[in-house]
Amino acid sequence: MAIVTPFLVANPDSSYEISRGGGGNDPMATIGGLAEEAGSQADTPATQGEFRFRLTGFARADDLPEVWLELRDESGGQVRTHRVQVIGVLSDITTVSMNQVHVNSRAIAAVTGEEVRPDTFFIKVSEGAVVREVAQEVERAFLSSALDATVIADSAAQGQALTRGILQLFQGFLALGLLVGIAALGVISARTVVERRQQVGMLRAIGYQPEMVALSFVLEASFIALVGIGLGTGTGIVMGQAIIGQLFSVITAGRTLAVPWGQIGIIVLGAYLFSLLTTILPAIQASRIYPADALRYE
């Protein structure tokens, strides 16, 4: 008997309740090539621990059809084969799915011709027990064997913390780029006031009030900021969905990316407000230009 991971099921369906198997009634997959090859890896020989095939003819459903795998070992100049039946597909959220195919020790011994000595054990802690204390007790009990007990939740938390740290580093660089862009918008606004000094004087001469001149500069800078923010936000969401769908197509199959609209909204609002703050001072300076001084400017 064997249990496989969702990665080996071709075109996996994320729903176990509504999926129904299709195709043949008794599909059989063989590591030697009777199953569907995995994309462009069809001509690439599989190395130890790798499986270059996908199980076809059914979806990940409760009514799993009869599926057989033929395991073959050609090491040592001798070919050993052993057939096992797939009796289940692991869930996407399982914490013990470290290999693509799980079989018992007798099946491995039949293929390799050697007795299997497992080096990893999973211990289920009884309800109400403290996991870390149980791990310490296990290490003390097997101290002579140098056993290392690891809590799966702690290992997952360490991996998530590392990933979160890398993502926060990227977010820091992006925030720095955003601040530089906001500062650049303020510099452009200040330069615009200097370059348009005569135009501002003419507007004041024909009747424009200081508030109207300041508002025109603020509206111009606001339009530039909104266009930049909109393009950046849209591009980021589209590229994020494309990258996640490409890199994690198996994990996210049949699912949609959860866009953090709340965080995005706060960042967009903050960027827009800071952009307005950097343009207020140049706009006030432009509103204080007197027509006579501006028209005398060379």
Side-chain angles (χ1 to χ4, degrees), residues 183-202:
L185 183 60
V187 173
I188 293 175
S189 300
R191 183 177 178 179
T192 302
V193 172
V194 177
E195 293 178 348
R196 299 180 182 176
R197 186 178 179 87
Q198 290 183 335
Q199 288 85 344
V200 172
M202 294 180 62

Side-chain angles (χ1 to χ4, degrees), residues 25-147:
N25 295 326
D26 299 319
M28 184 183 73
T30 305
I31 295 182
L34 296 181
E36 177 186 359
E37 297 292 346
S40 60
Q41 300 175 344
D43 299 331
T44 305
T47 60
Q48 184 177 4
E50 293 182 327
F51 295 91
R52 304 291 189 181
F53 68 91
R54 296 291 184 273
L55 302 179
T56 60
F58 66 96
R60 290 184 301 173
D62 291 334
D63 52 345
L64 183 68
E66 184 177 352
V67 181
W68 291 84
L69 296 177
E70 182 178 310
L71 308 179
R72 182 183 297 113
D73 182 18
E74 300 179 355
S75 60
Q78 184 179 2
V79 179
R80 299 183 182 90
T81 60
H82 184 72
R83 297 178 76 247
V84 293
Q85 183 180 2
V86 178
I87 62 173
V89 180
L90 290 176
S91 172
D92 292 336
I93 60 175
T94 181
T95 58
V96 298
S97 179
M98 297 185 297
N99 299 298
Q100 297 176 0
V101 177
H102 298 262
V103 296
N104 56 30
S105 58
R106 288 178 296 178
I108 299 178
V111 176
T112 61
E114 301 177 355
E115 183 181 357
V116 179
R117 295 182 178 180
D119 57 2
T120 303
F121 300 89
F122 292 93
I123 301 176
K124 183 178 181 181
V125 180
S126 59
E127 186 176 357
V130 181
V131 179
R132 293 177 180 83
E133 293 181 358
V134 173
Q136 294 176 357
E137 292 294 334
V138 171
E139 289 182 347
R140 280 195 289 265
F142 294 92
L143 182 62
S144 59
S145 302
L147 187 142

